[in-house]
Amino acid sequence: MPRRRPAELLGRCRSFLRRPGGRLLLSPSPCPGRPGCARDDIAVARDEPADLRRALPTVTRTAPGRVLRGLDAQFLRSTLPDPDPPAERWAHWRGRPRARWHRRLYEDT
């Protein structure tokens, strides 16, 4: 998947959180296997800023970490947990555990 700039990725997360209504439901990507299209799922789009932050030298992670923690807190307040998420939301196909934002309630569930 081609990398996007951090500002674009964070903007996508902020746009999702500004949607009107009460609790927000995540939308699955219509084509999760295609590069770029997978990011239509906000949980997938949220993974990239975390990956970018992990790649930074330790001393430069503080400011991005603060921004991400704030977005994550708002995300958790604005979405509902999925009481029974499917297996693919618990672990990546390579076996790596997925972040908690993948286990929120989606529109189609």
Side-chain angles (χ1 to χ4, degrees), residues 26-47:
L26 282 70
S27 300
S29 171
C31 51
R34 292 185 56 209
C37 190
R39 287 190 202 97
D40 289 342
D41 180 341
I42 195 63
V44 174
R46 173 55 188 86
D47 285 336

Side-chain angles (χ1 to χ4, degrees), residues 71-85:
L71 285 174
D72 288 346
Q74 186 178 357
F75 184 82
L76 291 175
R77 283 190 308 270
S78 302
T79 59
L80 296 169
D82 189 338
D84 188 26

Side-chain angles (χ1 to χ4, degrees), residues 45-102:
R46 173 55 188 86
D47 285 336
E48 282 192 45
D51 293 342
L52 291 171
R53 182 181 170 270
R54 276 191 294 274
L56 293 171
T58 306
V59 295
T60 60
R61 290 182 191 171
T62 304
R66 263 189 245 123
V67 171
L68 293 176
R69 280 191 298 280
L71 285 174
D72 288 346
Q74 186 178 357
F75 184 82
L76 291 175
R77 283 190 308 270
S78 302
T79 59
L80 296 169
D82 189 338
D84 188 26
E88 66 268 8
R89 293 201 193 137
W90 281 100
H92 189 271
W93 63 272
R94 293 182 183 142
R96 186 176 118 206
R98 289 194 183 268
R100 65 181 180 262
W101 48 83
H102 286 273

